[in-house]
Amino acid sequence: MMEKSWLLAFTLFLHVIPREAAFGVSGGVGLGIGNAGSGVWIGGGISNTPTPSPGSSASNLNSAYAALQSWKSAITDDPLKVLDTWVGSDVCAYKGVFCADPQDDEPGPVVVGIDLNHANLQGTLVKEISVLTDMSLLHLNSNRFSGTLPDTFRHLISLQELDLSNNHFSGPFPTVTLYIPNLMYLDLRFNSFSGPIPEDVFNKKLDAIFLNNNQFDSQIPQNLGNSPASVINLANNKLSGNIPSSFGLMSSKVKEILFLNNQLTGCIPQGVGLFTEMQVLDVSYNSLMGHLPDTISCLNQIEVLNLAHNKLSGQVPELVCSLKSLANLTVAYNFFSGLSQDCAKLFFRNVGFDFSLNCIPGRDMQRPQPECSLIPGGGLSCLRIPSPQPLICGSLAETLEANLSSSSP
């Protein structure tokens, strides 16, 4: 997903910046990819931007100048001297500011992107930024911005990528992001946002949702499966309650879901099997209980499946261990009591397989017997399909929907 993100950003720049200008960027192109964020870092501004003629783009650039100077005044520390170039009315020469001729008949140039990744700036965002309505990319990862987002950001009608990761933002989820009409990529990770995640996050047409490493709490919204995103990362928060039972029922095309290191309880829902394009599923470091649903065997593109550090029990099913794309299966620190023969064959397939600290008889590195005498979640009732054998993955959606409907009050 990291590669996809910077590729999207770079493609976006090539789309909005004319070809002759795309290669006139002084300072070079570098990739600001790391654990805390990703994106294209292109420094120096566009060096060959013509001086606007009277009556052409003067009003656009004057508005941009006023907005960027207001923002500059709200930045209290600039150790790398990035903003030393933010002087004068030619905003297209500012480092990290990118201009292009607009796609319509309006006079140009206009500001189409701001990329200040890894600039280590300290300050706040200001409402005046919202006048940059032609801006399609705003990347601010790895700075020291604090506060929250101005409500006026809803006027950024062209914005497609918003990366605020690895900053000091706080307060509740910035709901203004849900009103940015064309947003596709939302990255809020590594901040101090708190409170519940609004359900509208999963109704919006976002391709990437990064909310990990914040202080979000409450339950995962029940409409999680509505999201068309290819990656959803909610890891390292304080989310509690069950994974929604409707998980997957909207046939989402998600490829990566990360729920690790929260406080989730209950079962892994049967709906997980509907994510047929899933490549990474990580629910480790929670308190999930019960047996694994057979529908996990429908994840025929899964490469990484991490179930470690939960309270899961029963057998590790043969159908799970026989998944053809599997590269790493981790079930350590649970209460599983058995492995199928196909699971034992994983080592010969060069698949990473960790089943330590369970309750599997005759295996090394298992829990002490007293810990296995009382399996957690023995009375837990999980919604399970009355299991016709063999499981038919192609008809899974209809079967799940029928069982959910029959179990509804």
Side-chain angles (χ1 to χ4, degrees):
M1 185 59 209
M2 292 296 183
E3 293 181 359
K4 180 176 180 180
S5 172
W6 74 257
L7 183 60
L8 175 60
F10 189 66
T11 303
L12 184 59
F13 268 119
L14 293 183
H15 174 71
V16 297
I17 298 176
R19 189 170 187 83
E20 65 273 16
F23 297 96
V25 179
S26 63
V29 178
L31 302 182
I33 297 178
N35 289 333
S38 60
V40 177
W41 188 91
I42 308 180
I46 296 177
S47 59
N48 63 345
T49 302
T51 301
S53 58
S56 62
S57 62
S59 59
N60 283 332
L61 293 184
N62 286 342
S63 297
Y65 170 73
L68 293 175
Q69 290 301 314
S70 293
W71 189 15
K72 181 180 178 181
S73 68
I75 294 174
T76 57
D77 189 28
D78 177 18
L80 303 180
K81 306 300 180 185
V82 173
L83 302 187
D84 282 1
T85 63
W86 286 32
V87 177
S89 59
D90 184 8
V91 300
C92 299
Y94 291 7
K95 188 168 186 177
V97 177
F98 303 93
C99 297
D101 291 329
Q103 300 296 307
D104 52 27
D105 294 330
E106 292 183 16
V110 294
V111 174
V112 295
I114 295 177
D115 192 322
L116 294 171
N117 286 352
H118 305 281
N120 199 22
L121 298 170
Q122 177 178 305
T124 58
L125 303 182
V126 297
K127 66 181 189 304
E128 287 83 1
I129 297 173
S130 63
V131 305
L132 304 175
T133 53
D134 294 287
M135 180 169 61
S136 53
L137 181 149
L138 179 59
H139 277 186
L140 302 177
N141 85 53
S142 300
N143 285 282
R144 290 174 288 146
F145 288 110
S146 59
T148 189
L149 278 68
D151 287 341
T152 56
F153 269 42
R154 68 182 65 206
H155 302 308
L156 295 172
I157 56 175
S158 301
L159 193 66
Q160 295 184 32
E161 289 202 18
L162 179 61
D163 184 353
L164 304 179
S165 62
N166 197 26
N167 278 282
H168 299 160
F169 292 109
S170 59
F173 183 96
T175 53
V176 64
T177 59
L178 304 177
Y179 296 96
I180 300 174
N182 291 299
L183 195 66
M184 295 174 56
Y185 178 96
L186 177 62
D187 193 343
L188 303 179
R189 55 190 155 164
F190 292 93
N191 280 288
S192 297
F193 291 113
S194 58
I197 297 172
E199 64 177 22
D200 283 344
V201 171
F202 302 112
N203 290 330
K204 193 168 175 60
K205 294 181 179 180
L206 293 166
D207 181 61
I209 302 171
F210 291 104
L211 305 182
N212 53 291
N213 295 81
N214 279 281
Q215 303 293 320
F216 291 119
D217 55 27
S218 300
Q219 298 191 12
I220 299 173
Q222 291 296 311
N223 66 331
L224 173 74
N226 287 8
S227 177
S230 61
V231 57
I232 299 173
N233 192 337
L234 307 182
N236 300 312
N237 280 290
K238 298 179 179 179
L239 299 168
S240 58
N242 297 344
I243 298 175
S245 59
S246 59
F247 187 52
L249 282 181
M250 301 306 292
S251 300
S252 173
K253 301 300 183 183
V254 68
K255 290 179 170 55
E256 298 182 22
I257 286 188
L258 295 96
F259 291 160
L260 66 139
N261 198 23
N262 278 285
Q263 299 164 14
L264 301 176
T265 56
C267 312
I268 297 177
Q270 289 278 56
V272 67
L274 290 175
F275 289 115
T276 54
E277 297 184 20
M278 180 98 72
Q279 296 171 359
V280 177
L281 175 62
D282 192 333
V283 297
S284 61
Y285 289 90
N286 283 286
S287 295
L288 300 171
M289 299 182 185
H291 294 185
L292 293 182
D294 288 342
T295 55
I296 286 185
S297 63
C298 296
L299 302 179
N300 52 26
Q301 295 190 40
I302 197 77
E303 297 174 10
V304 176
L305 179 59
N306 193 343
L307 310 173
H309 289 269
N310 280 287
K311 300 176 182 178
L312 299 165
S313 56
Q315 290 244 344
V316 179
E318 177 179 350
L319 291 172
V320 173
C321 292
S322 62
L323 288 164
K324 300 303 182 186
S325 298
L326 202 60
N328 189 288
L329 173 61
T330 307
V331 298
Y333 287 88
N334 279 288
F335 290 86
F336 289 113
S337 55
L339 298 175
S340 69
Q341 288 187 346
D342 271 39
C343 294
K345 295 175 184 176
L346 290 176
F347 297 108
F348 300 103
R349 290 172 49 193
N350 291 321
V351 174
F353 181 36
D354 186 355
F355 58 88
S356 60
L357 291 165
N358 278 282
C359 298
I360 304 171
R363 298 285 184 172
D364 295 332
M365 299 179 64
Q366 298 299 295
R367 290 179 181 273
Q369 186 56 41
E371 293 183 20
C372 297
S373 60
L374 185 62
I375 304 297
L380 187 66
S381 176
C382 297
L383 175 64
R384 294 291 182 242
I385 298 176
S387 135
Q389 295 293 335
L391 177 68
I392 302 173
C393 293
S395 62
L396 188 57
E398 293 82 359
T399 309
L400 275 170
E401 287 175 353
N403 279 275
L404 278 175
S405 299
S406 64
S407 66
S408 300

